[in-house]
Structure formats: C-alpha cells, structure tokens
Amino acid sequence: MGHPPLEFSDCYLDSPEFRDTLKSYEVELERTSKFLKEVIKDGNSVISAIRGYSLAVQKFSQTLCLFQFDSIGDFLTDDEINIAQSFQEFAVLLQEVEHDRMMVVQNASDLLIKPLEKFRKEQIGLTKEKKKKFEKESEKYYSQLDKHLSISAKKKESQLQEADELLDKERINFYESSVEYVYQIHQVQDRKKFDVVEPVLAFLHSILTLNNLTVEMTQDFMPYKQELQLSLQNTRNHYESTREEMEELMKRMKHPSQICKMHSFLPMEGYLLCQEKWALGMTWVKYYCKYNKETRLLVMTPCEQKPTTKQVYKHLCTCVTPTEDTLTLKSCIRRKTESIDKRFCFDVETNERNTPVTFQAFSEGERKLWMEAMDGKEPIYHSPIHKQAEMELNEIGFKFVRKCINYVETKEVTQEGVYRTVGSNIQVQKLLNAFFDPTNPGDVDFQSSDWDGKTITSALKFYLRSLSEPLMTYSLHRDLMCAAKSDNLDFRLSEIHSLTYKLPEKNREMLAMLIKHLVNVCSHSDENLMTPSNMAVIFGPTLMRAQEETVAAMLDIKFQNIVVEILIEDCKKIFCHMPEESTAPPVPPPRITPRKRQPITISKRPARVYQHLSKDLFQFTESNY
C-alpha cells in the first residue's frame, strides 16, 4: 500500500492531515526497523547454523581420511584399490566444498549483516535524529506561539515588535526542521528499496552458488538475479536523479521568498482562534479553517490540544470531525485594536449566524492574508516576482543543438560517460552567452580549444532545460505520465507514439533530431557505457517536467525517464512512421508480442526431479555461475 507524498509546502501549514500522513510514514519506518532487526537476528542464526554444519562435515571428512582399510595379501586388485582410497577421495571432496562454504560464512557478515546494520544506523538512525529535532522545534514553536497569543495589545510597541521577531525566528526554525525531516523520510523510503534488497540478494546468491546440491537451482536463479540487478540499478539511477531534483526543491522551499509566495496560495487554510460564548463566559477555541473564495464557504474543524507528555507532539491536534462547521461568508471586517484585548483579530459575518464571528490569526501577516482571501478591507501586499531569462525554441536554438550534436558525434561519441559527466558552470554560461549573443548569434567555433566535450554536452542540456516550456510540453505531461505507468507494454508504446505526434511541429522536429542522436550515442554503449536506460535518466528531467514543482512531481521523474527510454529504444518506429489510428476501447488490449524484459521467477519454475548424487554432480566449474 503506497503512502501519499509529503509535500514541502504542507510543512508550512502543518495541518492535521499532514500530521496523519507523517504518522503513517513513521509507523512504516518503525515496521521496517523491526523487520531489519529480525532479518539481522535470523541472518546471524543462519550463519551460525552454516558454520556449525560446515564444522561437523569437516570433522566427518577428517574421520573418513584417518581410517585405513586393512587388506589381506600382498597385492590388491584395481577395484580394491579404488575402494580402499574412496574414503580419502570423499574426504578431499568434502574438504574442498567446506573450504568454499567457510569462505561464505566468513564473508556473510560483510554481505548481509553489516550493510543492514549500516542502513539501520545511518539511514533510520538519521531519520530518528531528524524526528527528534523536528519534535523539539515543534514544541518550542507552539509553546512560544501560546505565549505570543496571550500578550496583551496594550503592551509597548517595542515589546510587541520584539515578541513578533522572536516568534518569527522560532517559526522559521520549526519550518526548516519540518522540511528536513520530510526530505529525510522520503530518502529512507526510497533507499530501502535497494539498500535492503541488495544485501539479501547477495547473501542468497552466495549460499545457492556454493551449495553442491543446488547447481540447477543456481542456474535458474542467475537470470532472475541479473534481471533483479538490472531493476535495482535502474531504481538506483532513478533515485539519484530524483534525489538531486528533490534536494534542489527543498533548498528553494526553505528560501524566504518561497515562504512569502506560499502566503498567496488560495484557497486559504490554516489555524485560527475563534471567540465563543460559553456558560462561564467567553473563551477562545482553536480551529483549522479552510476558505474557498469561489464558493465563499468557510469550513471550521475544531482542534483540541492534547495535554500529554513531550513524547507526543504537544501541538498535535485531534480533530473532532462530527462537530465540523461550515459557514457561508457575507463580509469580513478588520477588528479595531481598541475594541478587543487581543491582537490580529477580524470579524466575519455569515448567513448562518446572527452575530459576527471573531477570529484571531497567529500574526499580523496572516490576518492580512485571511482578509485578502475573504475580500476584507486590509491592503493587499504582493512580493515582486522576478522572471528568469528563458531560452527559446527558434532558429538559433536549432542551430545550437545541431552544432552540439555534430561535435559529440565527431569527437565524443565513444567517450565514457558522455552526457553524464558535467562541465564547469562558468564555461557553460560563457559558451551560451557567446552563442546566443543578440549582436552576433551563432558565431562560435566549437572546434576551438576554448570548449571541451563536457562544456558542450552540459550546455546542450542546459539549453533544453531552460526552454520557456519543456520540449515535450506541459499540456501533454499528464498523458505521457499515464502512458508510462501502464502495465501493458504495447499500449505504453503506442500511446507515447501517438502523443509524440501531438507535439507542436517545432518541438517534434527538435525531439526527433535529439533522440536520433541519442540512439547513435547509445549504439556505442560498449565503449561509452551509456545504455538507453542510463541516457534516459539524464534526459528524462531535461525533456519533460511538471508545470508545478512538488514532491509528487519529483517522484514521477522515473516515469519521465521511462518515456525517454522508450523514445530511444523505439526511435525508428516512433519518428519514421505515423501512429496508427486506433478505435480500441480505453482499456489497453492484451499483449500480442512478448515482453522485451520478462523477469524469471524461481517460485514458478517446474517441479525439479533430482538424480542420485554422483561424483559428476559435484564437478562444476566457475563457468556454471
């Protein structure tokens, strides 16, 4: 069962839904930790059992070796000689087998135990440290918030300003720790796919390989092992590309300008205190409120703060959904300071209540945002947005890509790691500025000594990534992702083929030129080590990207890579033939052609008939592995 992605933006709102999702990740992490403890414990038991078994067999072989057949007479027949020497032959065979088995035992800890313990200590341990920091900063912030909201508005302005600055500092610390904790949770969830499976795979393979009774099983296991190793390597590559993108997103989300930007998100939602009349007088009740500007509906979810110990997040709210209230907004009016002994207050008139409802925001900035969302009378403040320079898909752009391709195919096509190796940012910018100089565009000699292969390949990727819209367009992104996620490989290919021809003509022309070039580069993979899968990891995020940068979009990068891999592997069909018009129903049809990569599962192999053990059965060489 999958978990919904934890968005960095949700760290800022810190809603009950976010806390519930975070809790589900923590439960899964604890389950993984317990599982690893059991695997390590049972793994040690297996290793001890193998060691004990091997020692017993070695003792048995020594007993056989020490025994000498006595004979009658001075001469023995050939048969008698063979019988007399049989125990020594058995002993030598057993000693050779057990020598290899003991090598497995000696390496078992390095193969299985140490990597799993390292993962628990470094990854799960780091996550728990981030959790402790998050809990500490969470407690400090909400404790400070409680004190802040109780400050009287009649305090001196200097005291109020000092209190505001202190709260802002605590909030930033809390937000940063929350973002870092969410980032680490995503990392450990992704890493465990290969950091846990690979040690078990290596340990299992070593046992099967050296077990003289499972030679056939080892042969059956090898194709599956190779397929699994390929899947693990692809997952590792996708993880690396996703991790880089997610790390950049995390850094941007922590920037103050991004926090200001998040203030402007509509519909508005967050925590508010509501003034309510109770039997013993007036009281302030905490609500998590969501306001939709189009419907003018304000949904108020009451939250009761838990008076529990530090082990439970002090500010974590338990929502009482049966008493959830929905109000229809009529107007929003700022509450005058002299009319109430609370700061950051505003009144809301609704259709459902006869008297205005008074709310208290957590800061003056939040009050302005709520009033802006509700069309109140507070002034609206916007942070200036500076648009970065963007590349264009024009004639000079085509000329630049052609020159880059020509250079790579002439001088770099067999270079190991071509397109994977990154050039100097300074040199890349220098090349781009020179080539796209408005006064003399395109007047750059790529053959001069000023430019090396890494600079040119990095500049090509930078140009494609800096287009105002990705080469495979925002409008087709969702359809391409759906196609890549299909279980039916025939449908996946035909859908991507069809969607490619929905691209604008310039985009398709540029894409075809680039993919044909990548096919040529991949054809030299024996030398440059760049297979279609490896190349797709590089160009997936370059040719495609979601319009909105979120963690969910980052997690889709592996499917972007699949799209590009299909374009490379099926380049001739996609770009040399028009897609066929299909009247098939939306449900993908059954497969007609076999899979290109079909995993072999040991569990589904036919029942094995074992022959009687013979000496020939034990005589297998390293080539069998």
Side-chain angles (χ1 to χ4, degrees):
M1 181 71 70
H3 297 280
L6 285 166
E7 296 293 347
F8 293 133
S9 57
D10 290 341
C11 298
Y12 185 81
L13 295 174
D14 195 31
S15 66
E17 291 85 352
F18 168 75
R19 287 290 180 160
D20 289 341
T21 304
L22 189 62
K23 184 64 178 177
S24 69
Y25 274 86
E26 292 170 348
V27 171
E28 171 60 20
L29 189 64
E30 187 61 29
R31 190 175 72 89
T32 300
S33 181
K34 291 180 180 179
F35 164 76
L36 289 177
K37 287 182 181 178
E38 291 297 320
V39 171
I40 292 171
K41 176 184 174 183
D42 295 342
N44 279 322
S45 298
V46 171
I47 293 170
S48 298
I50 294 174
R51 182 182 288 110
Y53 170 77
S54 184
L55 292 173
V57 173
Q58 290 182 50
K59 181 64 172 63
F60 177 66
S61 69
Q62 291 172 5
T63 301
L64 293 179
C65 189
L66 292 174
F67 182 77
Q68 298 290 332
F69 279 99
D70 203 356
S71 60
I72 300 174
D74 295 329
F75 298 95
L76 299 174
T77 66
D78 290 342
D79 292 334
E80 289 173 332
I81 292 173
N82 288 338
I83 292 172
Q85 294 177 347
S86 62
F87 278 3
Q88 284 72 37
E89 293 292 333
F90 293 161
V92 171
L93 176 61
L94 289 173
Q95 288 170 3
E96 290 178 354
V97 172
E98 294 314 313
H99 175 269
D100 290 339
R101 195 188 306 278
M102 288 303 293
M103 293 295 294
V104 173
V105 173
Q106 292 172 8
N107 295 329
S109 180
D110 293 334
L111 288 174
L112 178 67
I113 306 302
K114 289 182 180 179
L116 295 182
E117 289 179 337
K118 180 180 178 183
F119 180 80
R120 284 191 70 248
K121 180 179 179 181
E122 295 183 0
Q123 295 302 320
I124 297 182
L126 178 60
T127 307
K128 290 182 178 179
E129 290 177 6
K130 295 289 186 182
K131 178 183 178 181
K132 289 180 181 179
K133 181 182 177 183
F134 170 65
E135 290 176 346
K136 180 180 177 182
E137 295 298 336
S138 176
E139 181 183 356
K140 287 174 62 179
Y141 168 64
Y142 280 94
S143 176
Q144 184 64 35
L145 180 60
D146 291 340
K147 295 177 183 179
H148 188 72
L149 295 176
S150 63
I151 296 176
S152 172
K154 297 178 181 179
K155 293 279 188 180
K156 294 181 180 180
E157 184 62 29
S158 60
Q159 293 176 320
L160 296 177
Q161 185 176 359
E162 183 179 355
D164 290 347
E165 291 174 355
L166 181 59
L167 181 63
D168 288 342
K169 181 180 177 181
E170 293 295 344
R171 181 162 195 165
I172 289 173
N173 291 340
F174 164 64
Y175 176 62
E176 287 185 353
S177 66
S178 180
V179 169
E180 290 172 358
Y181 181 36
V182 166
Y183 172 77
Q184 179 59 27
I185 282 178
H186 274 291
Q187 299 312 298
V188 75
Q189 289 284 38
D190 279 348
R191 285 185 68 93
K192 72 179 183 182
K193 296 173 187 174
F194 47 84
D195 278 351
V196 174
V197 175
E198 280 183 335
V200 178
L201 173 64
F203 179 66
L204 180 60
H205 174 61
S206 65
I207 292 177
L208 293 178
T209 303
L210 294 173
N211 190 334
N212 55 13
L213 296 178
T214 57
V215 177
E216 289 186 50
M217 183 181 292
T218 303
Q219 293 173 344
D220 289 345
F221 178 73
M222 288 302 295
Y224 175 76
K225 176 208 166 192
Q226 293 169 356
E227 183 69 25
L228 182 56
Q229 282 182 323
L230 177 61
S231 298
L232 287 169
Q233 185 59 46
N234 287 342
T235 303
R236 184 186 291 276
N237 290 340
H238 295 321
Y239 161 76
E240 288 299 330
S241 63
T242 303
R243 183 192 61 79
E244 292 173 4
E245 296 287 334
M246 193 178 295
E247 189 172 345
E248 288 299 319
L249 177 60
M250 181 190 72
K251 292 177 181 177
R252 290 194 295 273
M253 293 297 292
K254 291 167 64 175
H255 196 274
S257 63
Q258 185 63 27
I259 297 177
C260 295
K261 183 179 178 181
M262 285 192 295
H263 273 304
S264 62
F265 287 168
L266 294 177
M268 187 69 186
E269 61 179 283
Y271 288 103
L272 290 174
L273 297 180
C274 179
Q275 189 181 54
E276 295 185 355
K277 292 181 180 180
W278 284 12
L280 299 179
M282 303 295 295
T283 186
W284 292 88
V285 180
K286 190 175 183 180
Y287 287 88
Y288 191 82
C289 301
K290 296 182 180 180
Y291 177 69
N292 190 302
K293 193 167 185 176
E294 293 184 359
T295 61
R296 298 185 69 81
L297 293 180
L298 177 65
V299 179
M300 302 167 57
T301 305
C303 301
E304 180 183 354
Q305 199 163 347
K306 291 182 177 180
T308 54
T309 60
K310 293 183 180 180
Q311 282 75 10
V312 181
Y313 306 137
K314 183 179 177 183
H315 70 288
L316 184 58
C317 297
T318 303
C319 295
V320 187
T321 52
T323 60
E324 185 179 90
D325 198 4
T326 302
L327 303 177
T328 306
L329 186 75
K330 291 171 62 178
S331 65
C332 175
I333 305 170
R334 179 179 64 84
R335 187 69 178 263
K336 293 183 178 180
T337 305
E338 61 272 14
S339 67
I340 190 170
D341 190 28
K342 290 283 186 180
R343 306 174 69 200
F344 323 133
C345 294
F346 59 96
D347 290 340
V348 171
E349 293 184 349
T350 65
N351 294 334
E352 290 77 9
R353 300 190 183 182
N354 296 326
T355 58
V357 182
T358 301
F359 290 100
Q360 182 186 23
F362 288 179
S363 68
E364 180 62 25
E366 288 193 10
R367 178 172 70 172
K368 289 178 180 179
L369 289 171
W370 279 104
M371 294 189 65
E372 177 185 345
M374 295 179 175
D375 297 323
K377 296 181 181 179
E378 284 289 326
I380 302 173
Y381 298 94
H382 289 298
S383 299
I385 299 175
H386 302 286
K387 187 175 182 181
Q388 296 180 346
E390 296 169 333
M391 296 292 185
E392 296 298 331
L393 193 62
N394 51 21
E395 184 178 346
I396 188 66
F398 271 87
K399 183 178 180 181
F400 175 72
V401 173
R402 289 191 187 97
K403 293 193 75 169
C404 289
I405 289 175
N406 181 64
Y407 179 91
V408 173
E409 295 192 348
T410 303
K411 295 189 174 184
E412 298 287 320
V413 72
T414 60
Q415 182 67 34
E416 182 176 329
V418 59
Y419 283 114
R420 183 183 291 277
T421 309
V422 181
S424 165
N425 287 334
I426 296 176
Q427 288 297 104
V428 169
Q429 289 297 328
K430 184 178 177 182
L431 172 58
L432 291 169
N433 292 337
F435 197 96
F436 292 94
D437 183 359
T439 59
N440 198 11
D443 187 18
V444 176
D445 181 11
F446 279 27
Q447 308 299 327
S448 79
S449 59
D450 293 339
W451 318 115
D452 59 10
K454 293 183 293 185
T455 299
I456 292 174
T457 55
S458 296
L460 173 59
K461 292 185 291 184
F462 185 91
Y463 164 77
L464 293 170
R465 223 173 197 197
S466 301
L467 292 172
S468 55
E469 184 177 19
L471 197 61
M472 300 189 74
T473 70
Y474 291 130
S475 61
L476 295 179
H477 186 84
R478 183 177 178 182
D479 292 338
L480 286 165
M481 290 298 94
C482 291
K485 294 174 182 177
S486 171
D487 291 335
N488 188 295
L489 300 187
D490 288 332
F491 175 78
R492 188 187 301 177
L493 172 58
S494 64
E495 190 70 6
I496 291 175
H497 188 184
S498 176
L499 291 170
T500 301
Y501 281 80
K502 293 183 180 179
L503 289 169
E505 186 176 348
K506 281 188 176 181
N507 295 57
R508 188 169 68 253
E509 181 183 351
M510 175 71 80
L511 182 65
M513 179 172 63
L514 179 67
I515 296 298
K516 290 174 183 177
H517 163 62
L518 297 183
V519 170
N520 185 25
V521 175
C522 291
S523 68
H524 296 81
S525 61
D526 290 344
E527 297 172 274
N528 58 36
L529 305 182
M530 297 305 295
T531 62
S533 176
N534 292 337
M535 194 67 79
V537 170
I538 296 170
F539 279 90
T542 301
L543 302 179
M544 300 177 65
R545 62 180 182 271
Q547 195 157 7
E548 183 180 356
E549 287 186 321
T550 63
V551 174
M554 298 296 111
L555 298 178
D556 270 348
I557 287 178
K558 52 182 171 287
F559 296 107
Q560 296 174 186
N561 301 346
I562 290 174
V563 172
V564 176
E565 185 176 359
I566 290 173
L567 291 175
I568 295 174
E569 289 184 338
D570 297 281
C571 174
K572 187 174 181 180
K573 177 178 180 179
I574 292 175
F575 293 104
C576 297
H577 303 281
M578 293 291 292
E580 298 178 1
E581 293 186 6
S582 175
T583 57
V587 178
R591 287 192 54 79
I592 299 173
T593 58
R595 286 180 180 270
K596 289 185 178 179
R597 294 174 182 161
Q598 186 172 10
I600 300 171
T601 57
I602 302 300
S603 60
K604 294 183 179 179
R605 59 186 171 83
R608 190 182 307 279
V609 178
Y610 290 98
Q611 298 177 350
H612 293 291
L613 298 181
S614 65
K615 186 175 180 180
D616 294 338
L617 181 62
F618 297 94
Q619 294 176 343
F620 51 93
T621 63
E622 193 175 4
S623 62
N624 293 113
Y625 305 122

